[in-house]
Amino acid sequence: MIKLEDVAKKAGVSVTTASRVINRKGYLSEKTIAKVEGAMRDLHYSPNAAARSLQGKSLKLIGLVFPTIKNIFYAELIEKIEQGLFKKGYKAMLATTEHEEEKEREYLALLLSNQVDGIIYGSHNLTTDDYTAIEAPIVAFDRLLTADTTVVSSDNLQGGKLATQTLIKLGCQNIAIFTGNDNTNSPTRLRREGYLSVLTELKLNAHVIKIPSELSVLRKQAEIQKVLSENDFDGVFCTDDLTALLVKQRAQKMNQNLHVVGFDGTEYVENYHPDLTTIKQPISDLAELLVDLLIRKIKGESVDKSYQLPVKLHYGE
């Protein structure tokens, strides 16, 4: 737990001055206020959290930080995490960052001010120093926050290979990959590496198409139509199911004979789009492992830094 002395030291002021800034007592220059408040933000210091710590109270509260719940994969994963936490006696507080740095920063400060016992992180908009400064136990999903952060993910590399090999078996020779945000600091990049490794081995040309995940559905549809109209792909591997569904729909409207493989395999896709071939992530197992690891870290137990769970092919065509 960050102490008031740490804030004062970082701001270059006395503890008394730092306390006066926090409690707004006496005369304070704008420069001094800015230095202390800046140190508080950098250190994620919260007076409320510090007070609860002194009282020795735990709220049994876990913060969940994810980009969005609009993506059905995140929605299903978050639901199962929350259910798992509740069974273990914990409650969840959800923060969705929408890929915005300032939004993540403010949500993180809110979580820490409520003295969460730990955080399950599925977002990444801040710097390594920001994450290193967090004292609460963290387990990340598909995000390499720091060199010491425990990360849980599916076998993205094998998933990328499996998707590409499936398209090859369907007779495809001109295969593209449609990726979302190309975050080189995320295990999801390995889906692209798996795709590239298969094509390299077979001496086939690669086509990496980036469709940012934050685009609206209409903009994604327009971008997909433009790409498909300018190329003669016979196979497309999409690194998420929602994009895969858009590609299939657009190709059908353009009367293109196109094989498509997605990635995620949510219950929603399985129930409402069973015809979609996709790489299925073990969502229930991922949620259970994230909850188990975080609780073990809260209890002070040691855990490994990396955990990978296998994926499966759901063949829908």
Side-chain angles (χ1 to χ4, degrees):
M1 177 64 64
I2 299 298
K3 299 178 181 179
L4 183 61
E5 289 85 351
D6 300 319
V7 174
K9 182 178 180 180
K10 185 172 182 62
V13 300
S14 67
V15 174
T16 301
T17 298
S19 177
R20 287 171 57 210
V21 170
I22 292 170
N23 295 293
R24 288 296 190 270
K25 291 184 178 180
Y27 171 78
L28 296 162
S29 68
E30 292 299 322
K31 182 178 179 181
T32 299
I33 293 173
K35 287 195 298 183
V36 174
E37 290 183 342
M40 290 171 64
R41 284 193 300 271
D42 291 343
L43 296 174
H44 304 296
Y45 174 83
S46 167
N48 290 341
R52 287 202 190 98
S53 176
L54 290 174
Q55 294 168 7
K57 294 181 179 180
S58 169
L59 296 180
K60 305 287 281 187
L61 187 64
I62 301 298
L64 308 180
V65 183
F66 283 83
T68 180
I69 56 172
K70 295 177 184 177
N71 185 311
I72 192 66
F73 173 80
Y74 283 133
E76 290 188 11
L77 178 63
I78 290 167
E79 179 185 36
K80 294 183 184 302
I81 290 173
E82 187 277 331
Q83 292 171 348
L85 287 170
F86 192 80
K87 289 178 181 178
K88 298 287 188 179
Y90 290 85
K91 294 181 176 64
M93 178 181 287
L94 175 62
T96 55
T97 64
E98 303 291 344
H99 305 288
E100 296 178 15
E101 177 183 341
E102 190 57 32
K103 194 171 184 181
E104 180 175 335
R105 194 179 297 280
E106 291 188 14
Y107 267 132
L108 180 57
L110 176 64
L111 291 174
L112 295 176
S113 70
N114 281 276
Q115 201 186 356
V116 293
D117 291 85
I119 302 175
I120 294 177
Y121 237 103
S123 189
H124 189 176
N125 300 293
L126 306 181
T127 67
T128 299
D129 289 342
D130 288 316
Y131 297 121
T132 302
I134 300 172
E135 297 268 330
I138 293 177
V139 175
F141 172 69
D142 264 348
R143 298 292 184 272
L144 302 176
L145 304 181
T146 74
D148 296 320
T149 303
T150 297
V151 182
V152 173
S153 65
S154 295
D155 192 340
N156 291 288
L157 180 64
Q158 182 58 30
K161 290 180 178 180
L162 185 56
T164 311
Q165 290 165 349
T166 300
L167 290 168
I168 296 292
K169 290 178 182 178
L170 290 170
C172 301
Q173 293 291 301
N174 194 23
I175 303 170
I177 181 172
F178 283 35
T179 73
N181 297 319
D182 190 24
N183 185 352
T184 56
N185 198 33
S186 167
T188 56
R189 77 190 188 283
L190 295 174
R191 300 174 191 176
R192 176 169 55 87
E193 297 304 318
Y195 157 84
L196 292 173
S197 69
V198 172
L199 294 190
T200 299
E201 183 179 349
L202 296 174
K203 295 182 171 57
L204 295 176
N205 292 328
H207 308 275
V208 179
I209 311 297
K210 296 180 182 179
I211 309 288
S213 56
E214 64 267 21
L215 293 182
S216 67
V217 172
L218 286 177
R219 287 186 64 190
K220 279 187 177 181
Q221 289 175 329
E223 186 66 22
I224 289 168
Q225 179 161 333
K226 179 176 182 293
V227 171
L228 293 182
S229 64
E230 293 175 351
N231 297 275
D232 59 347
F233 302 136
D234 53 9
V236 172
F237 165 38
C238 298
T239 55
D240 70 274
D241 282 344
L242 297 184
T243 301
L245 290 172
L246 292 177
V247 171
K248 282 196 69 168
Q249 293 167 2
R250 193 53 45 182
Q252 289 169 357
K253 289 184 178 181
M254 298 170 66
N255 295 317
Q256 290 189 356
N257 184 21
L258 186 67
H259 293 289
V260 180
V261 176
F263 200 111
D264 281 339
T266 60
E267 292 179 6
Y268 170 82
V269 167
E270 186 175 342
N271 292 331
Y272 293 98
H273 300 277
D275 59 324
L276 178 67
T277 298
T278 185
I279 305 303
K280 185 175 179 63
Q281 298 197 69
I283 299 178
S284 295
D285 292 341
L286 288 167
E288 183 179 352
L289 182 57
L290 286 163
V291 169
D292 179 65
L293 290 173
L294 184 62
I295 292 177
R296 286 170 58 188
K297 293 190 76 170
I298 291 170
K299 293 179 178 179
E301 299 176 15
S302 62
V303 300
D304 293 336
K305 291 183 182 179
S306 179
Y307 295 81
Q308 274 192 351
L309 297 185
V311 295
K312 297 180 180 179
L313 173 67
H314 167 77
Y315 188 71
E317 294 189 84

